Amino acid sequence: MTSMSRARVARRIAAGAAYGGGGIGLAGAAAMGLLLAEVQLARRRVGNGTSSRVPNADGLYGRTYAGPADAPLRLTMLGDSTAAGQGVHRASQTPGALLAAGVAALAEHPVALRTVAMPGACSDDLDRQVGLVLTGPGPVPDICVIMVGANDVTHRMPATRSVRCLASAVRRLRTAGAEVVVGTCPDLGTIEPVQQPLRWLARRASRQLAAAQTIGVVEQGGRTVSLGDLLGPEFAANPRELFGPDNYHPSAEGYATAAMAVLPTVCAALGLWPAEEERPDVTRREGFLPVARAAAEAASEAGTEVTAAMPSGPRGPWALLKRRRRRRVPEQEPAPVTPSS
């Protein structure tokens, strides 16, 4: 599927989500039924889902930067097993811990991490998760990171419903005052037991949803980072290094790769990224585009950020597309200093 075709599909899905439609599927109902059967078989083969236990990474990071009256920055992880860190054994290897440690080092300020992400969750669980975030103890988080979408595809959730649930979650968090960064649907075509032609269908469905997610998120004031291709060529080239023992969830190295892609956008949302990197760089093909086109391009290239720019134009809302340089997550405080209660 070309970028322009993906943009048209994403625009239709996002419009259906905004106006209450629910009949637009991903890659065709028959194909998705076949894909679901293949993925369920893959899950049985790799043992995915036999244990939903994830390390508890919640706690305070960057304690050495804390002054007597310094309130920590608050980072909350929402979404599915990828956001929770399923597949690794140590808390320090989860994406939340990696992002909290990275932000603490770059900001030279303590960061309090809380995780409400749930393994197996689809986008319709975000309403519950946001409720936990907004009614929990303490102030509203400074920033929320959401990673969701893979289960929506494998459970055949209509794309319009998926995007509607995500957009609603972003809107609630933004209204409450939190910055929001969404890691869009990963590339399911990288799951090793899924064979062609279903591997191609999985990739197509994942990218369609990722592009539509981007439109929905940006229209609600959030930022997105494409994870699709990040979990594509790199994972395909190094499956033993970047996938965990179940061949389904990322390994520690895989989560570190994803965290490196998301960290610059998290820091930019918090105002921590160098000002000179906030300007579009034409040598990296960055710039202002209609939001649907930006979403389609981002779905095809890992680590690409999309954020709202001008409110409207001849072809609808516009967005800024950034291809931020990936920087290694600082090897700072591999575990939380103060576990949460």
Side-chain angles (χ1 to χ4, degrees), residues 268-324:
L270 291 170
L272 302 174
W273 213 237
E276 61 270 17
E277 292 207 13
E278 294 307 294
R279 293 188 293 270
D281 185 343
V282 295
T283 65
R284 290 188 287 182
R285 296 176 292 116
E286 297 179 346
F288 298 95
L289 296 169
V291 65
R293 184 178 163 195
E297 291 201 14
S300 299
E301 184 171 343
T304 304
E305 175 191 317
V306 180
T307 187
M310 307 167 223
S312 186
R315 288 177 286 177
W318 283 62
L320 173 61
L321 185 144
K322 293 280 294 178
R323 294 180 170 89
R324 297 186 185 276

Side-chain angles (χ1 to χ4, degrees), residues 136-215:
V140 172
D142 295 285
I143 189 158
C144 294
V145 176
I146 304 174
M147 296 180 179
V148 74
N151 295 321
D152 297 22
V153 175
T154 61
H155 288 75
R156 299 171 68 184
M157 178 182 288
T160 48
R161 183 183 176 198
S162 176
V163 173
R164 188 183 307 125
C165 291
L166 176 58
S168 174
V170 174
R171 179 170 59 252
R172 291 175 64 192
L173 293 169
R174 292 290 294 132
T175 300
E179 297 290 340
V180 181
V181 173
V182 174
T184 55
C185 183
D187 184 356
L188 295 177
T190 60
I191 302 172
E192 279 196 308
V194 176
Q195 302 300 316
Q196 296 290 13
L198 297 180
R199 185 183 296 271
W200 177 84
L201 289 172
R203 176 164 291 119
R204 181 186 178 195
S206 303
R207 290 184 178 183
Q208 284 181 5
L209 181 56
Q213 286 177 318
T214 296
I215 296 175

Side-chain angles (χ1 to χ4, degrees), residues 27-337:
M32 286 312 299
L34 192 58
L35 170 62
L36 175 64
E38 183 78 3
V39 170
Q40 295 296 342
L41 177 62
R43 283 179 169 176
R44 288 195 294 270
R45 289 178 59 187
V46 302
N48 178 55
T50 57
S51 173
S52 60
R53 180 187 176 277
V54 294
N56 180 10
D58 290 5
L60 187 67
Y61 293 76
R63 187 177 180 183
T64 55
Y65 300 118
D70 284 342
L73 293 169
R74 295 180 179 272
L75 164 66
T76 298
M77 302 293 296
L78 303 91
D80 56 24
S81 57
T82 305
Q86 186 174 358
V88 295
H89 300 293
R90 295 199 294 270
S92 61
Q93 298 170 331
T94 63
L98 293 166
L99 289 172
V103 171
L106 290 168
E108 297 187 351
H109 195 90
V111 175
L113 172 66
R114 183 186 180 197
T115 303
V116 298
M118 178 67 65
C122 295
S123 292
D124 56 5
D125 190 53
L126 291 175
D127 181 66
R128 181 192 65 83
Q129 294 182 24
V130 171
L132 292 175
V133 172
L134 298 183
T135 61
V140 172
D142 295 285
I143 189 158
C144 294
V145 176
I146 304 174
M147 296 180 179
V148 74
N151 295 321
D152 297 22
V153 175
T154 61
H155 288 75
R156 299 171 68 184
M157 178 182 288
T160 48
R161 183 183 176 198
S162 176
V163 173
R164 188 183 307 125
C165 291
L166 176 58
S168 174
V170 174
R171 179 170 59 252
R172 291 175 64 192
L173 293 169
R174 292 290 294 132
T175 300
E179 297 290 340
V180 181
V181 173
V182 174
T184 55
C185 183
D187 184 356
L188 295 177
T190 60
I191 302 172
E192 279 196 308
V194 176
Q195 302 300 316
Q196 296 290 13
L198 297 180
R199 185 183 296 271
W200 177 84
L201 289 172
R203 176 164 291 119
R204 181 186 178 195
S206 303
R207 290 184 178 183
Q208 284 181 5
L209 181 56
Q213 286 177 318
T214 296
I215 296 175
V217 169
V218 169
E219 288 181 345
Q220 300 303 324
R223 303 181 186 223
T224 63
V225 179
S226 169
L227 298 181
D229 274 358
L230 183 73
L231 309 184
E234 293 186 20
F235 272 48
N238 302 286
R240 296 294 178 264
E241 295 179 12
L242 297 178
F243 276 121
D246 63 5
N247 291 333
Y248 190 89
H249 291 96
S251 65
E253 183 64 27
Y255 279 126
T257 302
M260 280 192 289
V262 175
L263 178 61
T265 300
V266 169
C267 291
L270 291 170
L272 302 174
W273 213 237
E276 61 270 17
E277 292 207 13
E278 294 307 294
R279 293 188 293 270
D281 185 343
V282 295
T283 65
R284 290 188 287 182
R285 296 176 292 116
E286 297 179 346
F288 298 95
L289 296 169
V291 65
R293 184 178 163 195
E297 291 201 14
S300 299
E301 184 171 343
T304 304
E305 175 191 317
V306 180
T307 187
M310 307 167 223
S312 186
R315 288 177 286 177
W318 283 62
L320 173 61
L321 185 144
K322 293 280 294 178
R323 294 180 170 89
R324 297 186 185 276
R325 296 185 180 94
R326 294 183 203 159
R327 300 183 178 186
R328 183 164 298 278
V329 177
E331 296 181 1
Q332 157 75 26
E333 293 194 273
V337 177

